[in-house]
C-alpha cells in the first residue's frame, strides 16, 4: 500500500497505539512523562531480570556476535573496556558497497508500508529493547565507562524515551497532511474543475548513524529511530570502542523487522576495522541522504562541509558555562554543582566547564563569600562525593579513553588548582581507570585556556570583574564556540532576566538556581530539548519538528475526477 493512501491499521500499531498517543500528548504538554521506568529495582523489572541481563551480556564476550547480515564473513574486534574487562567480541564486517546496496534494496517495501505500519514496527522494537534493558545497560557500562545505574538510566530507559520522543515527532509530522484530498475550483459557467490528490510520504534515502563512545545509545537512538520511522533504511556505524550496545540494538531491531514481514536489512551494523575510515566512506556515498553524528567539532565540521548530498545532523563540542552572582542556598548550590562535575567524571557533553564568579565574591545565605570560598565550596562538595572509593565510583564511573587522561595531565600546567584530580582504585575492577575531577582557578584574561573544550573531569573557576562581566563572557564564548547548557545562580530577578536574554541571544538552554535534585547536565525527554541548533555546539535539537521533518518529503499525485 502506498504511503499516501488511506491505511489499514497495522497490528503492531494497534498494539502500541496507547503508548504512541501518550507520547504525542507529552510532546505538546512538555510536562514530566516517561514510558520506561528508570529504576533497575527488582520490584519494577522482576527478581531475575538483572541476573538474566548480565548473563546475556557475558555470553557475547570473547565470541562472534550473532548477527546475520550482508558481508564478507570477516570479523572485527576493536573494543577496550574502561573497567579493564576483557570484551573481545567479534562483529561481522561489511564494506560500504555491500551495506548501501542491501539498505537500498530494502527501502521500497518499507516506504510503501506507510507511517502507521512503520511506527508500529518501531514501537515494537523499543518494546523488545526494553525487555532486554539489563543486557543493554551492561553493554553500555562496560564499553563507555559509566557506572551501572547511570548506564541503566541514560543508556537504557532514557535512551528509549528519547527514541520514543523522536517517533512521536516524526509521526506527527508525517500525518500533518491528509493522505488524500478532493479539490474543486469554479470554472465560470462550465462545470467546476475537480481533482483528487494523493500525498505520499517519501523517505530521503539511506541514513547513516555515527555513534559515540560515551553515550552510544542515548545519542544514537533519536536519529536512528527518526530516520527509520520516516522510511529510511539505517546503517549504524558505532564508535570502535563502543560497538556492543548498538550491535545489540541492531540485533533486536532486525528480529522485529523480520517477524513483521520486512527486510531486516532496513537496519545494519557497520563495524569498522582499525584505520578503515568507514564512517567517512559511508557519509560521502551518493545514496546516503541522512547523517547523524555525535563527537568532535573537527569531524562534525568535516561532515557538514563534505557530505553535501545528505542532511547532516551534528552534536559537537561546546563551552558549557555557569554564572554565579548570588545564592540563597550556598550549600545546595555547591552540592548541586559538585554532583554535576562528578557525574561520569564530567564525560558528558552537557557538563559545566567554565564557572564564572566575580573576583570580589558573592552574597549568600551564609553571608558574603569570597571568590576562593565559592570555588572551595564547590571543590569540597566534589571531594565529599569522591572521598569513599566504593561510593565515589558509582558516580564517577571510569575514564573512557586516553584523550581524557592526556587533558588531565595537560591542565596541571595551567592556572592554580583548587582541587587536584587523583587516581582511585575501583573496589570491583582492579584494572579500571578512575580519576576524580579537578577544578582550576583562572582569570578572565586566560581566555586561551577556558576558550576551548577540555572534555573530561576538568572545570575552571574563573574570576571576573563583575556579574555583568560574567554575562559578557558567557555571550562571547558561547557565541563563538557554542554550548549545550548554561546555568545561573542569583537572588536578583534582574540578573536572571539578563542571563536569560543572553541565553536566547546565543541559543543555549539555561537552568536557573539549581540546588536540589535537578542538574544542569541532565535533560528529560518529552520536556527538555537537548541542544538547540542555534549555536556552534549542535546544528539540531533532540528532538523537535525540525529534527524529523527533513528526513522525508511529500510527493503528490493528482488526477481529474
Amino acid at each position: 500500500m502506498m504511503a499516501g493512501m488511506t491505511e489499514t491499521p497495522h497490528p503492531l500499531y494497534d498494539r502500541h497505539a496507547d503508548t504512541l498517543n501518550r507520547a504525542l500528548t507529552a510532546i505538546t504538554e512538555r510536562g514530566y512523562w516517561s514510558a520506561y521506568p528508570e529504576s533497575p529495582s527488582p520490584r519494577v523489572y522482576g527478581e531475575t531480570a538483572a541476573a538474566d541481563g548480565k548473563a546475556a551480556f557475558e555470553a557475547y564476550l570473547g565470541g562472534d556476535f550473532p548477527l546475520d547480515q550482508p558481508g564478507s564473513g570477516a570479523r572485527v574486534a576493536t573494543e577496550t573496556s574502561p573497567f579493564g574487562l576483557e570484551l573481545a567480541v567479534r562483529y561481522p564486517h561489511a564494506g560500504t558497497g555491500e551495506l548501501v546496496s542491501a539498505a537500498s534494496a530494502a527501502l521500497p517495501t518499507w516506504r510503501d508500508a506507510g507511517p502507521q505500519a512503520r511506527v508500529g514496527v518501531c514501537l515494537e522494537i523499543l518494546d523488545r529493547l526494553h525487555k532486554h534493558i539489563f543486557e543493554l545497560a551492561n553493554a553500555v557500562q562496560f564499553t563507555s565507562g559509566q557506572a551501572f545505574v547511570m548506564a541503566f538510566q541514560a543508556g537504557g530507559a532514557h535512551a528509549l524515551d528519547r527514541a520514543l520522543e523522536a517517533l512521536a515527532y516524526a509521526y506527527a509530522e508525517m500525518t500533518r497532511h491528509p493522505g488524500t484530498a478532493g479539490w474543486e475550483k469554479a470554472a465560470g459557467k462550465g462545470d467546476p474543475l475537480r481533482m483528487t490528490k494523493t500525498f505520499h510520504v517519501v523517505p530521503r534515502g539511506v541514513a547513516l548513524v555515527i555513534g559515540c563512545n560515551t553515550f552510544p545509545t542515548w545519542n544514537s537512538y533519536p536519529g536512528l529511530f527518526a530516520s527509520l520511522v520516516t522510511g529510511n533504511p539505517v546503517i549504524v556505524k558505532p564508535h570502535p570502542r563502543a560497538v556492543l550496545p548498538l550491535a545489540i540494538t541492531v540485533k533486536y531491531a532486525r528480529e522485529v523487522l523480520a517477524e513483521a514481514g520486512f527486510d531486516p536489512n532496513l537496519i545494519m551494523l557497520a563495524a569498522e576495522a582499525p584505520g578503515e575510515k568507514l564512517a567517512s566512506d559511508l557519509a560521502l556515498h551518493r545514496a546516503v541522504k541522512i547523517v547523524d553524528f555525535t563527537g568532535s567539532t573537527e569531524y562534525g565540521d568535516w561532515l557538514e562541509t563534505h557530505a553535501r548530498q545528505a542532511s547532516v545532523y551534528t552534536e559537537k563540542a561546546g563551552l558549557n558555562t555557569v554564572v554565579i552572582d548570588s545564592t540563597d542556598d550556598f550549600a545546595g548550590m555547591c552540592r548541586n554543582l559538585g554532583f554535576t562535575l562528578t557525574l561520569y567524571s564530567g564525560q558528558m557533553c552537557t557538563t559545566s566547564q567554565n564557572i564564572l564568579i566575580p573576583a570580589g565574591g558573592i552574597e549568600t545565605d551564609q553571608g558574603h563569600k569570597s571568590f576562593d570560598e565559592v570555588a572551595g565550596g564547590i571543590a569540597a562538595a566534589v571531594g565529599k562525593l569522591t572521598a569513599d572509593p566504593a561510593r565515589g565510583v558509582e558516580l564517577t564511573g571510569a575514564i573512557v579513553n586516553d584523550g581524557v587522561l592526556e587533558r588531565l595531565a595537560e591542565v596541571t600546567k595551567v592556572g592554580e588548582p583548587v582541587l587536584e584530580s587523583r587516581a582511585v582504585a575501583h573496589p570491583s575492577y582492579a584494572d579500571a581507570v578512575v580519576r576524580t575531577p579537578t577544578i582550576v582557578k583562572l582569570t578572565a584574561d586566560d581566555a586561551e585556556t577556558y576558550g576551548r573544550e577540555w572534555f573530561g573531569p576538568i572545570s575552571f573557576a574563573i574570576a571576573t570583574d563583575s556579574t555583568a562581566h560574567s554575562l559578557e563572557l558567557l555571550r562571547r564564548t558561547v557565541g563563538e564556540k557554542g554550548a549545550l547548557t548554561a546555568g545561573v545562580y542569583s537572588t536578583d530577578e534582574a540578573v536572571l532576566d539578563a542571563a536569560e536574554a543572553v541565553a536566547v541571544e546565543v541559543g543555549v538552554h539555561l537552568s536557573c538556581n539549581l540546588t536540589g535534585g535537578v542538574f544542569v547536565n541532565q535533560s528529560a525527554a518529552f520536556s527538555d530539548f537537548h541542544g538547540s541548533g542555534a549555536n556552534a555546539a549542535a546544528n539540531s535539537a533532540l528532538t523537535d519538528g525540525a529534527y524529523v521533518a527533513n528526513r522525508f518529503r511529500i510527493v503528490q499525485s493528482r488526477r481529474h475526477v
Side-chain angles (χ1 to χ4, degrees):
M1 176 176 8
M2 293 301 290
M5 299 175 68
T6 302
E7 295 185 78
T8 302
H10 191 276
L12 291 178
Y13 176 87
D14 291 341
R15 181 183 300 176
H16 300 290
D18 287 347
T19 300
L20 175 62
N21 289 332
R22 188 62 188 88
L24 289 167
T25 300
I27 63 173
T28 59
E29 293 179 344
R30 310 305 299 179
Y32 172 75
W33 182 69
S34 172
Y36 308 101
E38 66 178 5
S39 170
S41 167
R43 291 189 300 274
V44 178
Y45 285 95
E47 293 295 331
T48 67
D52 292 345
K54 187 171 185 180
F57 158 73
E58 291 174 343
Y60 294 126
L61 304 184
D64 289 345
F65 189 84
L67 200 61
D68 181 18
Q69 64 176 42
S72 63
R75 294 267 168 173
V76 294
T78 56
E79 292 162 303
T80 302
S81 174
F83 289 102
L85 187 72
E86 184 70 23
L87 299 176
V89 186
R90 297 180 293 273
Y91 302 96
H93 182 265
T96 296
E98 294 170 305
L99 292 165
V100 172
S101 177
S104 299
L107 186 151
T109 303
W110 186 238
R111 174 197 63 208
D112 296 346
Q116 280 197 355
R118 291 197 299 267
V119 78
V121 172
C122 287
L123 287 164
E124 179 69 11
I125 293 171
L126 295 188
D127 186 67
R128 186 73 53 89
L129 291 170
H130 188 222
K131 286 181 171 65
H132 295 272
I133 191 170
F134 283 91
E135 177 184 335
L136 199 60
N138 276 275
V140 171
Q141 176 186 5
F142 288 105
T143 55
S144 72
Q146 296 175 32
F148 176 76
V149 172
M150 184 178 186
F152 184 91
Q153 293 178 342
H158 298 169
L160 292 170
D161 272 336
R162 282 296 187 189
L164 178 56
E165 183 181 40
L167 294 184
Y169 270 103
Y171 188 74
E173 291 295 331
M174 287 189 293
T175 56
R176 179 185 296 276
H177 306 289
T180 60
W183 182 87
E184 184 174 309
K185 179 182 178 182
K189 295 181 180 180
D191 292 337
L193 299 173
R194 295 187 181 92
M195 303 191 82
T196 58
K197 301 185 181 184
T198 304
F199 304 98
H200 301 281
V201 174
V202 178
R204 298 291 301 275
V206 178
L208 171 66
V209 174
I210 303 173
C212 65
N213 194 173
T214 48
F215 289 88
T217 54
W218 196 97
N219 277 107
S220 296
Y221 278 14
L224 191 165
F225 284 95
S227 287
L228 190 62
V229 77
T230 51
N232 307 277
V234 181
I235 297 172
V236 181
K237 209 298 293 181
H239 190 285
R241 295 173 66 101
V243 184
L244 186 55
L246 291 176
I248 291 170
T249 302
V250 170
K251 172 180 178 285
Y252 289 121
R254 287 175 64 87
E255 284 182 8
V256 171
L257 285 161
E259 290 167 10
F262 294 101
D263 188 338
N265 291 334
L266 285 163
I267 184 167
M268 289 179 289
L269 187 75
E272 67 176 328
E276 186 180 10
K277 298 185 178 179
L278 183 57
S280 298
D281 291 342
L282 285 165
L284 298 183
H285 195 285
R286 64 183 181 276
V288 172
K289 300 299 183 183
I290 301 167
V291 177
D292 286 277
F293 167 75
T294 300
S296 71
T297 295
E298 181 183 12
Y299 191 62
D301 288 346
W302 183 89
L303 287 169
E304 291 172 7
T305 300
H306 295 283
R308 301 181 64 85
Q309 85 290 349
S311 293
V312 179
Y313 301 85
T314 60
E315 182 194 310
K316 300 172 287 189
L319 304 179
N320 300 319
T321 303
V322 175
V323 172
I324 301 180
D325 167 74
S326 56
T327 181
D328 58 7
D329 184 359
F330 182 73
M333 179 188 77
C334 291
R335 283 196 305 270
N336 191 279
L337 287 173
F339 185 90
T340 292
L341 303 185
T342 303
L343 187 63
Y344 190 27
S345 299
Q347 298 170 125
M348 302 174 67
C349 57
T350 50
T351 300
S352 306
Q353 173 181 295
N354 297 338
I355 304 173
L356 306 175
I357 310 164
I362 67 170
E363 297 304 318
T364 81
D365 58 317
Q366 300 179 16
H368 184 82
K369 295 286 187 180
S370 68
F371 172 88
D372 284 342
E373 287 175 318
V374 176
I378 299 168
V382 173
K384 186 175 181 179
L385 290 169
T386 57
D388 177 6
R391 295 178 60 190
V393 295
E394 295 306 314
L395 292 178
T396 64
I399 297 301
V400 70
N401 59 44
D402 291 341
V404 176
L405 297 178
E406 291 166 4
R407 285 185 288 276
L408 278 169
E410 182 185 358
V411 81
T412 61
K413 302 178 177 63
V414 302
E416 177 187 344
V418 182
L419 178 69
E420 295 188 72
S421 177
R422 59 189 176 84
V424 173
H426 197 291
S428 301
Y429 303 101
D431 295 326
V433 180
V434 181
R435 298 290 186 275
T436 61
T438 183
I439 302 174
V440 177
K441 286 197 294 186
L442 298 175
T443 70
D445 293 332
D446 296 318
E448 196 168 304
T449 299
Y450 65 75
R452 69 180 179 93
E453 186 189 42
W454 295 68
F455 185 78
I458 299 167
S459 57
F460 301 107
I462 303 166
T464 65
D465 296 340
S466 63
T467 295
H469 187 206
S470 296
L471 291 173
E472 181 53 37
L473 284 181
L474 172 67
R475 174 186 285 109
R476 188 175 77 237
T477 56
V478 176
E480 291 175 358
K481 299 296 180 65
L484 293 173
T485 64
V488 61
Y489 289 89
S490 181
T491 58
D492 187 340
E493 288 294 327
V495 171
L496 297 178
D497 289 344
E500 188 164 340
V502 172
V504 169
E505 180 183 333
V506 298
V508 64
H509 302 310
L510 179 69
S511 298
C512 303
N513 292 327
L514 299 183
T515 56
V518 176
F519 305 95
V520 70
N521 53 338
Q522 296 177 321
S523 66
F526 305 105
S527 185
D528 296 322
F529 292 105
H530 175 74
S532 66
N535 67 56
N539 71 1
S540 56
L542 305 182
T543 55
D544 59 8
Y547 185 72
V548 299
N550 202 32
R551 296 172 191 262
F552 67 92
R553 288 287 187 261
I554 301 293
V555 177
Q556 73 173 36
S557 171
R558 56 185 184 175
R559 302 182 187 185
H560 281 292
V561 175

